[in-house]
Amino acid sequence: MEKIEMICINCPLGCNLTVEKDGENFKVSGNTCPRGEKYAISELTHPTRTLTTTVAVGNREGKYVAVKSKNPISKGKLFDAMKEVNAIKVEAPIKAGDVVIANIFGESDIIATSSCD
C-alpha cells in the first residue's frame, strides 16, 4: 500500500491530506469536506490546471490581453498549450469572453478575460 501526502488547494483551508493507494483504490483522510477527497483522487489520476497568461494584440503595439482556459486542461499539456498561445496575436477590438483559441487539444477554449479596444 502506497501512502501519499498532499495539501488540498480547493479552498483557503489547505487541508493536509493523506492518500492511501492500494491498486486502483484510494482512501483519503484529513479532508474537512468532500471536495478534498475528489481533489486528491483527481490529482493522482488525471491532474489538470487552469492556464492563465496573456496574448499580444497585433494592431496595438505593446498591448496584451489577459486570457485563460475556460476549463482546466491536462497538466501534462500546459507547456504545449503555452507554445500555441505564444504563437498567436489577436486583433483589437477584443472583449472579455471572446474565444481566442477554440478547443485547444480537445479540452478547452482559450478565452479573453479582459478587453482591448
Side-chain angles (χ1 to χ4, degrees), residues 2-63:
E2 184 180 0
K3 210 176 218 187
I4 302 156
E5 305 283 331
M6 65 176 57
I7 296 174
C8 181
I9 61 171
N10 267 322
C11 76
L13 288 177
C15 296
N16 291 306
L17 306 177
T18 300
V19 184
E20 294 178 28
K21 182 180 178 196
D22 187 11
E24 296 297 315
N25 300 314
F26 297 93
K27 181 181 176 194
V28 180
S29 59
N31 53 307
T32 57
C33 72
R35 291 183 300 168
E37 180 178 13
K38 184 179 177 185
Y39 166 77
I41 293 169
S42 174
E43 189 65 12
L44 293 174
T45 59
H46 183 68
T48 59
R49 298 292 184 271
T50 299
L51 176 66
T52 59
T53 188
T54 57
V55 172
V57 180
N59 57 344
R60 302 287 190 272
E61 189 174 330
K63 293 281 186 177

Side-chain angles (χ1 to χ4, degrees), residues 62-117:
K63 293 281 186 177
Y64 292 84
V65 65
V67 298
K68 74 174 197 108
S69 56
K70 186 174 183 179
N71 301 304
I73 61 174
S74 299
K75 187 177 174 183
K77 294 180 180 176
L78 285 176
F79 288 108
D80 291 334
M82 280 301 301
K83 287 178 188 174
E84 296 285 326
V85 171
N86 287 336
I88 68 163
K89 290 184 180 180
V90 295
E91 299 296 318
I94 189 161
K95 303 287 181 225
D98 287 352
V99 175
V100 174
I101 300 176
N103 203 22
I104 194 165
F105 305 124
E107 295 192 19
S108 179
D109 291 338
I110 303 297
I111 60 170
T113 60
S114 61
S115 299
C116 181
D117 294 322

